[in-house]
Amino acid sequence: MTTSAMLILDILMVLSLLSLAAAALATSDARRSVILFMAFGLVLALAWARLQAPDVALAEAAIGAGLSGALLLAAVREQPRPALPDDTKTVHHRDHSSPKLLLEWTVTLLCIVVAGVLAWALAQAFDRAPQDTLAQAVNENLATSGVSNPVTAVLLNFRAYDTLLELAVLLTAVLGIFALGPARPGYRAAGPVFGGLVHWLVPVLILTAAYLLWVGAHAPGGAFQAGATLAAAGVVLRLAGQRTVGLPQGRTLYLVVAAGVGMFLVVGLSLLLLGRPFLGYPPAWAGGLILLIETAAMLAIAATLVLAFLGGRPQPPRTNVTGGKPLATLISTLSPRSRQGLSGADAPGAEPHKHFSEDNSQC
Amino acid sequence: MLTAHWLYGITGCLVVALGLRTALLHALLLHRLIGINVMGAGVFLMLIAVAYRGPGVAPDPIPHALVLTGIVVAVSATALALALARRLTAEQDN
């Protein structure tokens, strides 16, 4: 009785996943595509809650649907609007010349073959007995890991190397973003209603992040979900026109961005000096060390995601208002906008004002 | 036998194929990027389906940890790709 109800739910969920993915990819309007992609992410989060993966569901809702969507929408906003229909016309009314058509059919065929191979690999994976997998080893050693949430135990203890390298990937991405240019222009200062909401929302988000960090030791949660929630507070501040978006300035910012990798290395190397393997925590200290690393990782992940939303190196406010900085003039098309944007809502001129009001209506 | 892990796993395969097709064929960079993200989501679906052991049984935590890592890496790679695309547009406009 309940299983057949569950089956109906599963089929509905799978059908909505497939149709949302197809719709997001089929539409030629970038904004619509991003919004459908976000909806796809939210249904995906539900699917993961259904498949007993609550840690992943939390991360998907916060990052996959929330922050990815915010990043993509910020990018769509920057695209020149009139250029879009021209571009999409070539995509939509594609010429039906035979080489183009041949290419499309070949690629479609290739994708069908890829799906077939994946399905075959999936069947192999399903055939394996549960006791053959590493899950057994995780369950046997969970008591010595310092935490009772098996996902946190895998991420921060048994496979801590993976998480260290993941944080290194994040750091690399931030350095790449820094190298590519200055941040996007800011937003107009929030009106009274949105401003009031921000006053409530940001502290609640910070508290939620702290809760998720703490609870991750024994229940769904952890550094990734907490970092994403903290980053959401930064995004809200950014949309409200707050210039520093809660990020520290100058050298402290670099320290925070590198904190995750740094803390991992400090803990790992200290243990090495004490004669233990790299990141091989003594069981008695494991809980404390994991919390220490997770706190640093949360701050680094949050700073990274907020910087990703800024889309570039944050500009010191003073030098930007006065202008003439070589960095700002490097990309001449961006610098006038960024200078006007950072100087705040009171920037004179009709063009930037129109630009800002458009921003707020779209977000 | 149509059980939940098969249903979600096969959906994952199809989602990967859909994303791959867009990533290879679409003319616009942003749509290709969304295609790659959809592909990633399909891979995550497959992994979580493999981890699922049925109702009342604890799932395998290792694919869950892999997917968590994957989600964070995917968003940072997307952010880097968007920054690259933005710089590319700026260079082309000059």
Side-chain angles (χ1 to χ4, degrees):
Chain A
M1 186 74 176
T2 43
T3 50
S4 66
M6 211 58 173
L7 189 66
I8 293 170
L9 179 78
D10 283 340
I11 290 173
L12 283 178
M13 198 109 89
V14 160
L15 285 180
S16 55
L17 276 175
L18 280 173
S19 46
L20 280 172
L25 297 174
T27 177
S28 49
D29 179 22
R31 184 180 313 277
R32 182 178 303 220
S33 179
V34 172
I35 290 168
L36 284 167
F37 175 68
M38 290 168 81
F40 171 75
L42 287 174
V43 178
L44 207 54
L46 280 180
W48 286 338
R50 152 76 183 96
L51 291 173
Q52 297 179 9
D55 290 271
V56 186
L58 279 174
E60 176 68 36
I63 304 178
L67 281 165
S68 288
L71 284 175
L72 289 165
L73 278 180
V76 169
R77 180 172 68 89
E78 246 184 8
Q79 283 188 342
R81 286 292 272 174
L84 259 178
D86 292 348
D87 282 347
T88 51
K89 212 168 279 173
T90 57
V91 181
H92 207 69
H93 307 288
R94 45 182 173 257
D95 56 318
H96 291 278
S97 58
S98 54
K100 186 96 194 253
L101 212 61
L102 186 70
L103 176 75
E104 275 190 22
W105 278 105
T106 316
V107 170
T108 307
L109 196 67
L110 175 85
C111 293
I112 293 169
V113 171
V114 167
V117 171
L118 287 176
W120 174 78
L122 203 63
Q124 306 290 107
F126 286 154
D127 275 349
R128 263 187 332 172
Q131 56 267 29
D132 292 348
T133 63
L134 286 167
Q136 197 76 5
V138 172
N139 284 332
E140 280 162 12
N141 294 298
L142 193 59
T144 61
S145 72
V147 290
S148 58
N149 176 2
V151 177
T152 307
V154 171
L155 279 172
L156 271 301
N157 193 337
F158 304 139
R159 302 291 309 172
Y161 270 81
D162 290 359
T163 309
L164 166 62
L165 291 177
E166 176 198 1
L167 291 172
V169 169
L170 283 182
L171 186 60
T172 315
V174 165
L175 294 180
I177 291 169
F178 273 9
L180 285 165
R184 291 196 184 89
Y187 291 78
R188 189 174 55 175
V193 175
F194 185 39
L197 180 69
V198 170
H199 272 286
W200 282 98
L201 201 55
V202 169
V204 167
L205 283 170
I206 293 172
L207 266 179
T208 311
Y211 169 74
L212 282 171
L213 181 72
W214 178 256
V215 85
H218 54 85
F224 299 127
Q225 294 88 343
T229 311
L230 204 54
V235 171
V236 168
L237 283 175
R238 165 94 167 150
L239 292 176
Q242 224 265 345
R243 192 184 295 142
T244 57
V245 295
L247 286 173
Q249 305 293 303
R251 255 176 223 286
T252 326
L253 179 64
Y254 293 102
L255 276 180
V256 170
V257 167
V261 177
M263 187 58 81
F264 247 122
L265 288 179
V266 166
V267 169
L269 295 175
S270 311
L271 288 169
L272 215 53
L273 285 179
L274 292 173
R276 292 198 61 92
F278 184 70
L279 292 175
Y281 319 126
W285 301 356
L289 288 177
I290 286 176
L291 187 64
L292 191 68
I293 293 174
E294 279 205 301
T295 308
M298 173 191 75
L299 293 175
I301 290 167
T304 302
L305 293 174
V306 174
L307 287 169
F309 186 65
L310 296 185
R313 196 186 314 97
Q315 298 296 72
R318 284 286 157 73
T319 47
N320 252 292
V321 176
T322 52
K325 288 299 285 181
L327 283 174
T329 49
L330 190 67
I331 304 166
S332 59
T333 49
L334 293 172
S335 67
R337 272 170 63 186
S338 67
R339 245 181 283 142
Q340 281 160 351
L342 284 166
S343 66
D346 47 1
E351 194 276 322
H353 215 77
K354 189 169 135 266
H355 182 76
F356 288 135
S357 48
E358 196 186 57
D359 297 346
N360 274 18
S361 69
Q362 281 162 10
C363 298
Chain B
M1 192 66 209
L2 194 72
T3 45
H5 61 285
W6 268 109
L7 204 58
Y8 287 95
I10 293 297
T11 307
C13 300
L14 293 176
V15 168
V16 170
L18 279 173
L20 181 64
R21 188 175 180 280
T22 304
L24 290 176
L25 282 180
H26 212 285
L28 294 179
L29 218 52
L30 194 87
H31 287 259
R32 287 184 171 213
L33 210 51
I34 294 176
I36 292 172
N37 269 295
V38 167
M39 253 178 96
V43 174
F44 300 155
L45 258 174
M46 288 176 64
L47 279 170
I48 298 291
V50 170
Y52 184 64
R53 300 246 185 278
V57 188
D60 186 346
I62 292 172
H64 289 189
L66 285 175
V67 171
L68 263 179
T69 307
I71 289 174
V72 180
V73 168
V75 73
S76 56
T78 304
L80 183 60
L82 287 173
L84 278 168
R86 181 162 162 257
R87 180 62 184 266
L88 198 64
T89 315
E91 297 285 329
Q92 281 167 351
D93 288 349
N94 280 347

